[in-house]
Amino acid sequence: MVMYIIDTHSHLWLRQDTVVNGLPIRPLPDGRADFMGEERQMLPPFMIDGKNSAEVFLSNMNYAQVSAAVVVQEFIDGNQNDYLEEVARSYPDRFFVCGFCDVRHPGFYPQVEELCSRGFKAIAVPGHRLFLPEGRVWLTSDEMMAMFKYMERNGMILSVTLADGDVQVAEMEEVIAECPDLKIAVGHFGMVTVPGWLEQIKLARHENVSVESGGITWLFNSEFYPYPSAIKAIRTAADEVGFDKLMWGSDYPRTITAITYRMSYDFVLKSAELSDEEKRLFLGENARRFYGFKELVDLPYIKNMSE
């Protein structure tokens, strides 16, 4: 059985230099970052210049036999539209990139039309970052709904991460009702380690909604590899919405400060709790269908020096 592996939640940036809620995020040497007043290991320590490039990611993907990746965006990484447009142009068969607009402030709607005109086929919305000191930004605001309806009309995909539990689920239900043909990928596996996570998963009962597991190894980091509770959660989610609605995502590069890139899916591949067909769907086939990947590269296994 041929199995293509597709990563549905990753990040790229040339320079991570931004401010979130008045707090800076700046690169430091050796893969570290000043992260909102705290020094954190943002990247693996061999990425010494703070640059999280497509070429380094491709090397990881080739080694781990990952055929393609979806690149989302986050406020903490800063706006990377220009770089991701270049990445998509340079590696069209390897990367599906999401555009980004600053939905935290009114007046962002023209950015949506601009992103579409530039060829972006998806927009990422970090919904969990919309609880601002000056007040909450609602996913159902007039401008947000106008954006979602524009995306629906133009066949764009919404990649969205939500606040813990069911805090924003009712808003998403309203968005789905108003935009039934808008394809939506719910990220971070519903924040699976937080009470109420299944309410996010249940959004995938709607025809055009799927769930991706970006960051699942981070959420179960205290348990660590091979993440038996993550496997149990995948099974629980499948019981709710079906395996054809679930997709693997890594949250590269942040998660590979703790594990290798291959380990971020290898625990699924080696699990005895999932069938071969379930693994095929979760690790790539569902993503191929959802994002419309066509020509996927075949990547041979390269033997390690340690073997």
Side-chain angles (χ1 to χ4, degrees), residues 38-225:
E38 181 183 3
E39 187 170 333
R40 300 288 290 271
Q41 192 71 44
M42 183 66 65
L43 296 166
F46 55 79
M47 296 167 71
I48 60 175
D49 58 0
K51 183 177 177 181
N52 172 31
S53 72
E55 288 72 26
V56 172
F57 189 21
L58 276 170
S59 180
N60 274 283
M61 290 167 63
N62 292 342
Y63 171 77
Q65 298 174 279
V66 174
S67 294
V70 177
V71 184
V72 302
Q73 296 200 55
E74 235 272 36
F75 291 121
I76 65 172
D77 300 332
N79 188 314
Q80 303 293 327
N81 286 334
D82 291 344
Y83 180 50
L84 294 188
E85 186 177 15
E86 177 187 327
V87 168
R89 186 167 53 248
S90 299
Y91 309 104
D93 296 331
R94 303 301 300 275
F95 292 114
F96 180 102
V97 303
C98 296
F100 196 61
C101 50
D102 196 346
V103 297
R104 296 172 298 182
H105 306 294
F108 63 81
Y109 181 81
Q111 300 171 40
V112 180
E113 295 182 333
E114 179 200 359
L115 289 169
C116 185
S117 70
R118 291 169 63 178
F120 283 93
K121 299 176 182 177
I123 292 177
V125 174
H128 63 302
R129 303 268 183 208
L130 298 182
F131 298 80
L132 309 177
E134 61 269 28
R136 177 174 175 176
V137 177
W138 294 83
L139 294 168
T140 51
S141 69
D142 290 346
E143 195 168 23
M144 282 282 206
M145 292 301 286
M147 175 178 74
F148 297 143
K149 290 178 179 179
Y150 178 88
M151 293 172 64
E152 180 185 35
R153 290 194 303 271
N154 288 275
M156 301 178 79
I157 294 173
L158 170 63
S159 174
V160 63
T161 50
L162 302 177
D164 292 357
D166 63 355
V167 174
Q168 292 172 305
V169 168
E171 292 168 71
M172 285 305 305
E173 289 283 5
E174 187 172 337
V175 170
I176 294 164
E178 289 288 319
C179 306
D181 293 323
L182 174 64
K183 294 179 77 172
I184 301 171
V186 177
H188 291 168
F189 218 67
M191 292 302 291
V192 59
T193 53
V194 176
W197 69 279
L198 272 176
E199 298 309 305
Q200 293 190 35
I201 302 297
K202 290 175 185 176
L203 290 169
R205 291 175 175 175
H206 296 281
E207 183 178 357
N208 287 329
V209 181
S210 291
V211 174
E212 45 94 338
S213 72
I216 197 168
T217 60
W218 148 61
L219 291 163
F220 286 102
N221 183 64
S222 61
E223 181 179 87
F224 208 65
Y225 189 91

Side-chain angles (χ1 to χ4, degrees), residues 9-30:
H9 191 117
S10 64
H11 301 271
L12 294 173
W13 61 78
L14 284 183
R15 180 175 171 83
Q16 193 181 40
D17 189 349
T18 190
V19 174
V20 174
N21 293 344
L23 298 171
I25 301 167
R26 304 279 188 264
L28 297 173
D30 300 331

